[in-house]
């Protein structure tokens, strides 16, 4: 380790020259004064150097700022930027396929945090405002700063925090620097993956007496990964205890369970509720990713007062996905169940016996999918800094950036091709443990020859975004009166989302038994793949396990073989509905004009002014920063969405809308805000700093919420039809923010800090619901024929359909088509009522507050060190699982509302231990996030989803060769204890999703010269 000398608080300014200061908070004058001081600074690399740099950014900031830095050029602490950010107190991440993709800060989700690249707002490929960190390689990043308090010069949009990602600038590190790294990754989550390569490199040099600099960096990586999932499809349906299946009485409901043949069912006369599952699904997914990143930076400083910077950044991320599924969709035939105690009752065992109830065999479904997407982003920017005089500094920055995520396969960005064997005499699920166990009588002898091709969809989603942003910043020194920061900016952001879906609704099956006997696809085990998650096996069932055939294998259909066979043999002579580009309905379409097309333009004009002053209270130095920012926002939304003129009952649980055309709409909105801020910092001693801050900030609505037009699901079941509508007139969230912090820098690389924060947030955007008879469509499951069928045969949909055919088959609205029974809605039926979700502003005010604790300690010259942090967040009331919101079973008049309960709030903690000496660098990291409410609604209505507590352990070890300067080898592991993620509904027994993701290991080498 290199020797160094620290000179108290002057160090941070000097280090910021090494790192490259953020353009978000210009501090040119402070940097220049630091250079003039006789301060010896020798750059420290490695883990300790990275932590020291981050500590000094925190120490010298004008507000509460956290930072992470590269341990050396091209060497970031984690292989993924989001994984590194989660080491910061208050930062939590969302993972996609086991890798960090989005971040939440202090409980505010990804769309409530503003992500900048070198001080510039980025377009996103997610279709929303949240940045996907999976698109950027950590090797291109020199540092990241998380601004937890506001400053007038910082653009609004991040209520949780503003995150600024910094990349290399050649003039910040004069001379020649080059590094190259190569590694191989073994991702154990892949079922049949290989070791995949990753390459990264950076070249930086300065010329003409360090007046001209060039930096070129790039990375290429491949990853083969996978996951194993157990799901309860669309979720759980919740009912008051009185609801049953007796259609001759007044308490019947689709999905309700009988009073009889139950164990511990909630008392019908009581106030408890109960929930039933819609499905049980096992999904086995494989992914292949290819990511390319590159950046070119040119800088020219003709003199000491001017610097010109031109940069270009490219990000490309291609992902191919394949999965196979096996599932059973519960029909809500009379069920026999075992229930938990309490006001919120869940089935420990849920069972439907079709044979015992005189109902025909149902389907055991197996599906396959193969799709691909490509995310691409390009940004070109120009920056000019000019020290006009000793007291005036100016900066102009402009960038034009675009991002898109588009389909990368003729079969779409997502798809499913389903098959079914109608062998299911009984279906049951054991929910007693973390993994739900599905049993289907008839599954143990099923063969490929029993299967028929059923429904399918092939969908293309095309998300595009563009941002043009110009910023003007200035600083005027006022000598003993401090300084003034001032500036203005203009940004135009455009979001264009298009979608088109080709769908077949042959859920009753096409073809004949034996057709699929020779389709390629191995027979795979189910439960052998879930080696990290425990499930029940019906041994605890009151009747014992003997009556249950556990589903333990599936056919992993070869997608290409099955699709080709189905296309060749099951394409009818005449096609109705949307047709794919291949001329059939077995591929995706690029005819976006035939489906959904939404466009939003957002223009933001801003001005800011901030006074900065330094002084002393007694012998304690302080600095204060008082600012105000004015922003004006205009929103224009245009949309083209489908309209419909009919509904056909085509399967037991499928009512399909019939598209008749499209509708074009245009709407607009605007708002403006004046946002003050004050940051006060007091150096109590040379080692202790006290901070206090107040600011007002806004959080803009999600792009999906301000897109116009109403879209509805193309099919629905007896539970009802639904849709969503945007609202371009939405106002942003408004937050009053209070922060206090006490920081003790007790050694050169060590500190301890405690902070308190509070955010009073109003204008929440909540989900309003309205019921509308859109399109005046007649409903085939709400009319005289349907009611007669229910009275005659009860609640089974298959028997109802057969009764209608037997008794009304001579009518034109009841007919067979290609072997499938169609029942059209006609004038005598009631109209389809749609439950439309509309985002609206709420008047409720929520108070978020919490504490942050952090400690970083280096154990003298031993090489050992650690840092740890813990964040506690409180957002008021917890979600009350007794409450049923909306519809016929609404009980908010009894229990109140969950409207004020906020999503994404949880405590977080990190602990990192490291050793660095004698060429060895080792780090062991532990991350923990408590359980939290993810959402308050899903496909079954206002039912919650909770993400359970999660922890993960990562490590990396490297060795730098003493006899080959610049050469190091490294080994790293991610999620080395094979942790899995689990989500549930109103009870831990109401599992929504279990995802097993496995560990990743990498071995590589890095050479720096």
């Amino acid at each position: 380790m290199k020797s160094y000398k620290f000179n108290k608080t002057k160090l941070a300014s000097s280090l910021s020259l090494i790192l490259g200061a953020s353009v978000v908070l210009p501090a040119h004058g402070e940097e220049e004064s630091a250079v003039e001081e006789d301060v010896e600074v020798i750059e420290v690399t490695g883990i300790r150097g990275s932590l020291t740099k981050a500590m000094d950014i925190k120490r010298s900031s004008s507000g509460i700022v956290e930072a992470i830095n590269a341990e050396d050029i091209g060497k970031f602490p984690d292989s993924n930027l989001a994984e590194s950010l989660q080491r910061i107190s208050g930062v939590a991440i969302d993972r996609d396929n086991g890798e960090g993709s989005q971040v939440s800060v202090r409980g505010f989700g990804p769309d409530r945090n503003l992500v900048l690249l070198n001080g510039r707002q980025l377009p996103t490929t997610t279709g929303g405002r949240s940045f996907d960190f999976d698109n950027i390689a950590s090797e291109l990043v020199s540092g990241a700063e998380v601004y937890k308090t506001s400053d007038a010069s910082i653009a609004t949009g991040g209520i949780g925090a503003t995150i600024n990602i910094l990349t290399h600038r050649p003039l910040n590190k004069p001379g020649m620097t080059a590094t190259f790294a190569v590694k191989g990754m073994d991702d154990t989550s892949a079922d049949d993956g290989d070791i995949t390569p990753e390459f990264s490199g950076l070249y930086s040099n300065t010329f003409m007496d360090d007046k001209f600099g060039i930096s070129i960096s790039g990375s290429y990586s491949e990853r083969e990964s996978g996951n194993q999932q157990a799901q309860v499809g669309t979720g759980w349906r919740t009912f008051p205890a009185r609801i049953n299946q007796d259609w001759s009485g007044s308490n019947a409901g689709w999905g309700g369970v009988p009073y009889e043949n139950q164990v511990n069912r909630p008392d019908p006369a009581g106030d408890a509720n109960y929930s039933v599952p819609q499905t049980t699904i096992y999904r086995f997914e494989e992914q292949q990713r290819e990511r390319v990143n590159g950046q070119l930076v040119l800088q020219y400083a003709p003199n000491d007062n001017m610097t010109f910077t031109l940069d270009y950044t490219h990000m490309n991320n291609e992902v191919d996905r394949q999965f196979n599924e096996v599932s059973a969709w519960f029909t809500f035939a009379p069920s026999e169940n075992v229930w938990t105690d309490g006001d919120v009752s869940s089935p420990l065992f849920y069972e439907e016996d079709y044979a015992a109830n005189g109902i025909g065999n149902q389907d055991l479904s197996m599906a396959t999918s193969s799709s691909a997407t490509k995310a691409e982003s390009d940004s070109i920017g120009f920056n000019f800094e000019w020290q006009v005089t000793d007291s005036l500094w100016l900066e102009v920055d402009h960038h034009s950036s675009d991002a898109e995520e588009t389909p990368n396969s003729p079969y779409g960005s997502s798809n499913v091709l389903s098959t079914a064997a109608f062998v299911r005499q009984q279906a049951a699920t054991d929910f007693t443990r973390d993994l739900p166990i599905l049993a289907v009588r008839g599954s143990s002898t099923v063969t490929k020859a029993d299967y028929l091709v059923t429904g399918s969809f092939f969908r293309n989603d095309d998300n595009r975004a563009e941002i043009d942003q110009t910023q003007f910043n200035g600083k005027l020194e006022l000598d003993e009166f401090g300084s003034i920061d001032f500036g203005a900016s203009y940004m135009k952001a455009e979001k264009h989302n298009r979608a088109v879906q080709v769908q077949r609704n042959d859920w009753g099956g096409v073809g004949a038994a034996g057709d699929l006997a020779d389709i390629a696809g191995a027979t795979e085990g189910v439960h052998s793949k879930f080696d990290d998650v425990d499930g029940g096996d019906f041994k605890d069932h009151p009747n014992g396990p003997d009556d249950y055939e556990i589903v333990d294998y599936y056919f992993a259909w070869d997608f290409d073989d099955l699709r080709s066979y189905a296309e060749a043999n099951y394409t009818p002579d005449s096609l109705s509905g949307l047709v794919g580009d291949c001329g059939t309905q077995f591929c995706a379409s690029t005819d976006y004009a035939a489906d959904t097309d939404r466009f939003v333009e957002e223009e933001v004009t801003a001005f800011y002014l901030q006074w900065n002053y330094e002084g002393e209270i007694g012998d304690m130095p302080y600095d204060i920063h008082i600012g105000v920012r004015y922003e004006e926002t205009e929103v224009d939304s245009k949309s083209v969405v489908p309209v419909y003129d009919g509904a056909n009952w085509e399967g037991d649980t499928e009512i399909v809308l019939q598209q008749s055309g499209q509708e074009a709409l245009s709407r607009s909105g605007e708002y403006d805000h004046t946002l003050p801020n004050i940051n006060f910092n007091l150096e109590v001693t040379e080692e202790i700093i006290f901070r206090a801050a107040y600011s007002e900030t806004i959080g803009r609505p999600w792009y999906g919420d301000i897109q116009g037009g109403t879209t509805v699901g193309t099919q629905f079941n007896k539970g009802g039809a639904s849709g969503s509508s945007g609202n371009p007139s939405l106002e942003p969230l408004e937050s009053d923010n209070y922060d206090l912090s006490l920081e003790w820098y007790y050694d050169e690389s060590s500190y301890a800090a405690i902070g308190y924060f509070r955010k009073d947030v109003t204008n929440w955007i909540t989900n309003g619901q309205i019921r509308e008879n859109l399109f005046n469509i007649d409903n085939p499951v709400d009319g005289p024929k349907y009611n007669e069928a229910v009275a005659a045969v009860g609640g089974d949909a298959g028997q109802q359909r057969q009764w209608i055919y037997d008794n009304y088959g001579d009518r034109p609205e009841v007919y067979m088509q290609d072997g499938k029974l169609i029942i059209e809605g006609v004038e005598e039926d009631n109209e389809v009522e749609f439950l439309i979700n509309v985002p609206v502003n709420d008047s409720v005010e929520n108070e978020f507050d919490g504490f942050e604790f952090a400690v970083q300690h280096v154990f003298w010259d031993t090489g050992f060190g650690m840092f740890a942090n813990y964040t506690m967040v409180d957002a008021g009331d917890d979600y009350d699982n007794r409450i049923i919101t909306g519809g016929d079973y609404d009980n908010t008049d009894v229990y109140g509302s969950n409207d004020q309960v906020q999503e994404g709030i949880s405590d977080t903690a990190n602990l990192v231990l490291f050793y660095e000496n004698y060429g060895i660098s080792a780090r062991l990291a532990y991350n923990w996030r408590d359980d939290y409410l993810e959402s308050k609604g899903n496909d079954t209505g206002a039912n919650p989803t909770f993400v359970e507590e999660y922890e993960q352990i990562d490590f990396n070890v490297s060795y730098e060769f003493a006899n080959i300067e610049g050469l190091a080898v490294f080994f790293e592991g991610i999620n080395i204890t094979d942790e899995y993620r689990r989500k549930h509904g109103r009870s831990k027994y109401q599992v929504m999703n279990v995802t097993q993701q496995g560990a990743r290991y990498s071995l590589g080498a890095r050479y720096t010269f």
Side-chain angles (χ1 to χ4, degrees):
M1 184 177 295
K2 297 179 180 179
S3 62
Y4 49 87
K5 175 182 177 183
F6 286 92
N7 198 351
K8 299 298 180 184
T9 58
K10 299 294 185 184
L11 173 68
S13 296
S14 300
L15 281 174
S16 67
L17 289 175
I18 296 170
L19 297 172
S22 164
V23 298
V24 177
L25 294 176
H28 189 276
E30 294 173 326
E31 291 173 1
E32 187 171 8
S33 64
V35 174
E36 292 171 355
E37 295 287 340
D38 184 16
V39 180
E40 177 189 359
V41 178
I42 300 174
E43 185 179 4
V44 183
T45 61
I47 298 174
R48 181 170 179 174
S50 170
L51 294 176
T52 301
K53 294 171 186 177
M55 183 189 77
D56 282 289
I57 290 175
K58 177 182 179 71
R59 184 175 187 174
S60 63
S61 64
S62 61
I64 297 176
V65 178
E66 311 280 357
I68 51 175
N69 290 278
E71 296 171 10
D72 205 344
I73 296 296
K75 182 186 177 185
F76 216 63
D78 294 274
S79 59
N80 174 278
L81 181 56
E83 302 279 353
S84 287
L85 286 169
Q86 74 170 337
R87 314 296 178 202
I88 291 174
S89 59
V91 177
I93 68 172
D94 296 330
R95 289 179 169 86
D96 180 20
N97 203 36
E99 191 168 25
S101 59
Q102 298 177 334
V103 300
S104 300
V105 183
R106 290 176 165 178
F108 288 86
D111 283 283
R112 302 296 182 217
N113 299 292
L114 180 62
V115 177
L116 309 173
L117 180 67
N118 297 314
R120 301 163 178 165
Q121 189 163 337
L122 296 169
T124 67
T125 60
T126 60
R129 294 187 185 273
S130 56
F131 179 72
D132 190 346
F133 287 89
D134 190 39
N135 289 340
I136 186 169
S138 63
E139 291 86 356
L140 269 64
V141 178
S142 63
E145 299 166 344
V146 179
Y147 292 86
K148 295 180 177 178
T149 55
S150 186
D151 182 286
S153 64
I154 301 178
T156 59
I159 287 184
T162 297
I163 301 169
N164 188 29
I165 303 169
L166 303 171
T167 58
H168 185 70
R169 294 291 185 259
L171 293 187
N172 291 342
K173 188 176 177 64
M176 195 275 283
T177 300
T179 183
F180 178 77
V182 58
K183 67 179 177 181
M185 175 186 289
D186 178 21
D187 194 322
T188 64
S189 67
D191 189 50
D192 189 27
D194 296 321
I195 294 177
T196 54
E198 295 188 20
F199 306 96
S200 63
L202 180 145
Y203 171 81
S204 176
N205 208 347
T206 56
F207 310 92
M208 300 167 53
D209 296 325
D210 297 331
K211 292 182 178 180
F212 176 75
I214 182 172
S215 172
I216 303 174
S217 57
S219 72
Y220 172 84
S221 68
E222 297 178 11
R223 182 188 174 200
E224 294 183 1
S225 60
N227 61 73
Q228 301 79 43
Q229 299 182 42
Q231 306 174 3
V232 173
T234 57
W236 294 71
R237 296 185 180 275
T238 301
F239 304 92
R242 70 178 187 278
I243 299 302
N244 61 15
Q245 285 188 341
D246 183 4
W247 295 94
S248 64
S250 60
N251 288 322
W254 187 68
V257 299
Y259 294 161
E260 62 277 359
N261 299 320
Q262 309 291 317
V263 177
N264 201 36
R265 186 193 191 280
D267 184 355
D271 295 327
N273 67 46
Y274 69 86
S275 300
V276 294
Q278 183 69 77
T279 57
T280 302
I281 302 172
Y282 299 116
R283 173 181 288 188
F284 306 101
E285 182 170 318
E286 297 290 307
Q287 289 190 14
Q288 301 81 41
R289 184 192 71 189
E290 181 181 83
R291 184 176 65 193
V292 178
N293 282 184
Q295 187 176 68
L296 170 66
V297 181
L298 303 175
Q299 287 190 294
Y300 177 58
N303 53 53
D304 292 340
N305 298 323
M306 294 183 179
T307 302
F308 297 86
T309 302
L310 181 67
D311 58 81
Y312 170 72
T313 304
H314 174 77
M315 293 180 280
N316 187 85
N317 194 23
E318 299 182 15
V319 180
D320 295 348
R321 300 177 182 86
Q322 309 86 36
F323 67 77
N324 288 92
E325 287 183 346
V326 55
S327 66
W329 184 288
F330 292 113
T331 66
F332 299 137
S335 58
E336 301 181 10
N337 314 301
V338 180
W339 298 92
T340 62
D341 295 323
D343 292 336
V344 178
S345 189
S346 306
L348 296 170
F349 303 94
Y350 182 86
E351 176 184 351
E352 296 178 354
D353 194 325
Y354 312 106
N357 284 281
I359 300 171
N361 286 356
Q362 304 298 304
D363 66 306
L364 176 63
S365 175
M366 296 185 186
T368 182
S369 173
S370 178
S371 61
T373 58
K374 179 179 180 180
E376 191 170 12
S377 179
D378 292 281
S379 176
I380 185 167
F382 170 78
N383 181 275
F384 171 57
E385 292 187 57
W386 182 20
Q387 188 70 45
V388 184
T389 67
D390 289 343
S391 60
L392 179 62
W393 172 86
L394 300 175
E395 178 193 47
V396 176
D397 187 271
H398 175 81
H399 78 103
S400 294
S401 305
D402 61 78
E404 61 182 44
E405 184 177 62
T406 56
N408 201 30
S409 163
Y411 308 121
S413 51
S414 62
N415 58 58
V416 171
L417 177 55
S418 294
T419 67
F422 292 85
V423 298
R424 177 163 51 117
Q425 305 165 40
Q426 173 216 49
T429 302
D430 181 339
F431 292 107
T432 56
R433 301 194 183 170
D434 281 358
L435 183 71
I437 301 298
L438 174 66
V440 169
R441 188 182 302 152
S443 65
S444 62
T445 57
V446 71
T447 68
K448 287 184 178 180
D450 296 316
Y451 273 83
L452 305 175
V453 170
T454 57
S456 64
F457 76 84
F458 295 83
R459 180 180 178 88
N460 273 341
D461 285 284
D462 186 300
N463 298 315
R464 300 173 187 263
E466 295 182 10
I467 288 182
D468 288 285
Q469 183 180 29
T470 301
Q471 301 178 83
F472 170 71
N473 299 305
K475 190 180 195 72
L476 179 63
E477 298 288 347
L478 303 176
D479 298 326
E480 68 269 20
F481 298 107
S483 64
I484 296 289
D485 295 333
F486 57 91
S489 65
Y490 170 78
M491 184 186 73
K492 182 171 75 171
E494 297 179 347
K495 276 281 185 181
H496 194 184
N497 305 115
R498 301 184 297 171
V500 58
Q501 181 164 306
V502 176
Q503 183 156 331
R504 297 170 47 259
N505 295 295
D506 296 315
W507 302 108
V510 292
D515 283 0
L516 307 185
D518 297 325
I519 297 297
T523 302
E524 300 278 356
V526 173
H527 298 290
S528 60
K529 295 181 182 293
F530 289 99
D531 48 9
D532 297 323
V533 193
D534 291 330
D537 53 10
F538 291 90
K539 286 184 178 179
D540 295 330
H541 194 282
N543 297 330
D546 294 342
D547 288 339
Y548 302 97
E549 286 182 31
I550 293 176
V551 176
D552 201 22
Y553 69 88
Y554 68 98
F555 303 124
W557 299 118
D558 181 280
F559 175 85
D560 291 329
D561 195 22
L562 181 62
R563 193 208 67 82
S564 297
Y565 181 88
E567 182 180 50
N569 292 276
Y570 306 135
T571 298
D573 294 335
S574 61
L575 295 172
S576 61
L578 290 175
V579 177
D581 291 351
C582 59
T584 73
Q585 293 179 319
F586 288 94
C587 66
S589 169
T590 55
D591 184 13
Y592 294 101
D595 206 325
T596 302
D597 192 332
R598 289 174 160 181
F599 176 83
V600 173
E601 180 181 274
E602 188 177 66
E603 293 184 88
V604 181
T605 304
F607 304 91
Y608 75 88
L609 192 67
Q610 180 167 282
W611 176 58
N612 311 295
Y613 182 76
E614 296 180 2
E616 291 186 353
I617 300 176
D619 60 353
M620 297 183 294
Y622 74 87
D623 58 275
I624 189 169
H625 311 267
I626 302 174
V628 63
R629 184 180 184 90
Y630 172 79
E631 290 204 357
E632 183 178 270
T633 304
E634 297 180 359
V635 177
D636 288 304
S637 173
K638 300 176 181 178
S639 63
V640 178
V641 295
V643 294
Y644 305 89
D645 63 359
N648 293 352
W649 191 6
E650 299 187 8
D652 286 1
T653 56
E654 295 88 26
I655 300 97
V656 182
L657 298 179
Q658 307 301 302
Q659 185 176 342
S660 59
Q662 292 172 289
E663 179 181 49
L665 297 169
S666 180
R667 297 176 63 185
S668 62
E670 61 180 354
Y671 52 86
D672 62 86
H673 288 81
T674 300
L675 305 168
N677 72 275
I678 180 170
N679 289 280
F680 174 76
N681 308 292
L682 178 67
E683 192 171 323
V684 181
T685 69
E686 289 187 342
E687 296 177 338
I688 297 176
I689 295 176
F690 169 76
R691 304 182 193 275
Y694 169 79
S695 65
E696 296 180 15
T697 54
I698 63 173
R700 290 188 171 83
W702 302 331
Y703 284 114
D705 286 343
I706 58 176
Q707 291 176 326
T710 298
T711 59
V712 298
T714 58
Q715 67 180 46
F716 60 96
N717 55 40
K718 295 180 186 179
S722 63
S724 63
S725 178
N727 183 359
S729 299
L730 282 173
E731 296 282 327
L733 278 69
E734 299 172 354
S735 180
D736 291 344
N737 313 296
Y738 308 85
D739 286 86
L740 297 172
S741 177
L742 189 64
E743 303 160 6
W744 177 30
Y745 299 90
Y746 59 87
D747 207 346
E748 292 172 345
S749 300
S750 304
Y751 77 94
I754 181 172
Y756 171 78
F757 62 89
R758 180 177 134 185
K759 297 178 182 291
D760 296 336
V761 184
T762 59
N763 231 22
W764 283 101
I765 298 170
T766 61
N767 182 41
Q769 292 185 326
I770 57 175
R771 292 186 177 273
E772 288 188 280
N773 294 334
L774 294 176
F775 316 119
N776 303 117
I777 296 173
D778 300 316
N779 190 350
V781 294
D782 187 13
K785 290 190 298 294
Y786 174 76
N787 293 335
E788 290 176 26
V790 170
V793 299
D796 181 69
Q799 293 182 344
Q800 293 166 1
R801 285 165 51 80
Q802 185 63 47
W803 188 92
I804 292 174
Y805 181 71
D806 291 341
N807 290 273
Y808 291 96
D810 57 344
R811 289 196 181 183
E813 71 268 20
V814 181
Y815 56 91
M816 299 295 295
Q817 184 181 72
D818 298 323
K820 177 172 61 177
L821 174 60
I822 305 293
I823 303 172
E824 295 180 358
V826 292
E827 189 174 356
E828 68 179 12
D829 298 320
N830 297 318
E831 292 184 350
V832 176
E833 185 177 69
F834 291 85
L835 180 64
I836 304 298
N837 296 297
V838 183
V840 295
N841 288 115
D842 198 331
S843 59
V844 172
E845 177 176 317
N846 279 91
E847 177 184 309
F848 292 73
D849 69 346
F851 290 90
E852 295 178 326
F853 306 91
V855 61
Q856 177 175 303
H857 185 74
V858 175
F859 294 93
W860 307 287
D861 294 326
T862 64
F864 288 97
M866 59 82 69
F867 69 90
N869 57 62
Y870 186 90
T871 301
M872 302 168 54
V873 186
D874 182 12
D877 295 338
D878 293 330
Y879 190 93
D880 189 339
N881 287 305
R882 299 173 302 172
I883 296 174
I884 302 175
T885 303
D888 297 332
Y889 311 129
D890 188 292
N891 61 7
T892 54
D893 58 332
V894 177
Y895 294 114
S897 169
N898 279 316
D899 289 346
Q900 75 282 3
V901 180
Q902 296 306 313
E903 302 165 355
I905 308 301
S906 66
D907 294 352
T908 58
N910 295 280
L911 173 64
V912 176
L913 307 176
F914 67 87
Y915 173 80
E916 193 170 47
N917 222 338
Y918 306 109
I920 299 173
S921 178
R923 182 170 58 88
L924 183 68
Y926 170 81
N927 169 255
W928 170 84
R929 185 178 186 182
D930 204 359
D931 60 325
Y932 62 94
L933 175 67
E934 182 181 58
S935 70
K936 293 188 285 186
N938 54 46
D939 291 346
T940 59
N943 292 305
T945 300
F946 294 90
V947 178
E948 298 183 4
E949 177 184 13
Y950 180 80
E951 60 186 4
Q952 182 169 306
I953 297 176
D954 309 328
F955 76 86
N956 59 41
V957 180
S958 66
Y959 178 74
E960 188 170 338
F961 292 89
N963 56 343
I964 308 177
E965 185 176 357
L967 178 63
V969 294
F970 57 88
F971 178 56
E972 55 194 22
I974 307 294
N975 189 27
I976 60 174
T977 55
D978 291 320
E979 302 297 328
Y980 58 88
R981 303 184 68 82
R982 191 176 189 270
K983 301 178 182 181
H984 67 254
R986 296 175 185 267
S987 159
K988 68 177 182 179
Y989 295 106
Q990 296 180 24
V991 60
M992 299 284 290
N993 179 279
V994 181
T995 300
Q996 181 178 266
Q997 50 203 12
R1000 307 194 304 273
Y1001 298 95
S1002 297
L1003 178 66
R1006 180 183 296 104
Y1007 184 66
T1008 303
F1009 51 94

